[in-house]
């Protein structure tokens, strides 16, 4: 069972992580403006979203979610390939969903530009 302090720390972590992601996203968006093609810019931003926002559920505590890049890296260092594979599966699912969203955005962009 998790106490109140741990739950508060968990909430503070995710709030700080979300704020840091928004700041990083807008900084990268400004940086990617130098790229000439809309599709490349949005693909890179989509990859950033998948890489940093894909979660995986903690093996230790049910209902607690961890950034998948952090979990996979930690488990690979410890040598637990099965646990890291769970995070990689979440990355794969998130990448496929984001690929669909990216393609639909490119269709929307093409229709609006005509």
């Amino acid at each position: 069972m998790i106490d109140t302090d741990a739950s508060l720390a968990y909430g503070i972590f995710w709030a700080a992580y979300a704020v840091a992601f928004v700041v990083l996203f807008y900084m990268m968006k400004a940086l990617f403006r130098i790229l000439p093609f809309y599709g490349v810019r949005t693909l890179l931003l989509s990859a950033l979203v998948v890489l940093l926002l894909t979660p995986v559920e903690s093996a230790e505590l049910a209902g607690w979610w961890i950034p998948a890049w952090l979990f996979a890296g930690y488990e690979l260092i410890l040598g637990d390939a099965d646990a890291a594979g769970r995070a990689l599966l979440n990355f794969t699912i998130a990448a496929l969903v984001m690929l669909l969203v990216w393609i639909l955005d490119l269709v929307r962009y093409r229709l609006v530009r005509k």
Side-chain angles (χ1 to χ4, degrees):
M1 188 70 185
I2 298 300
D3 62 351
T4 307
D5 290 338
S7 293
L8 180 64
Y10 178 74
I12 290 171
F13 163 77
W14 276 111
Y17 192 81
V19 168
F21 174 78
V22 168
V23 169
L24 177 69
F25 183 83
Y26 281 107
M27 288 174 58
M28 296 304 286
K29 188 174 179 181
L31 180 67
F32 290 156
R33 283 187 203 268
I34 63 172
L35 297 173
F37 299 110
Y38 175 79
V40 174
R41 289 192 304 259
T42 56
L43 180 64
L44 290 173
L45 289 173
S46 299
L48 181 71
V49 168
V50 168
L51 181 66
L52 295 179
L53 291 185
T54 301
V56 64
E57 190 170 12
S58 172
E60 303 295 322
L61 296 170
W64 281 49
W65 294 83
I66 305 166
W69 65 268
L70 184 63
F71 183 80
Y74 182 71
E75 294 299 334
L76 283 174
I77 289 171
L78 292 178
D80 190 359
D82 291 335
R86 281 192 3 217
L88 295 177
L89 175 66
N90 284 12
F91 274 130
T92 303
I93 293 168
L96 290 174
V97 169
M98 189 55 77
L99 183 64
L100 177 64
V101 170
W102 178 70
I103 290 170
L104 291 173
D105 181 56
L106 288 179
V107 170
R108 179 206 55 87
Y109 181 76
R110 172 97 180 193
L111 291 174
V112 169
R113 289 209 36 176
K114 281 189 171 189

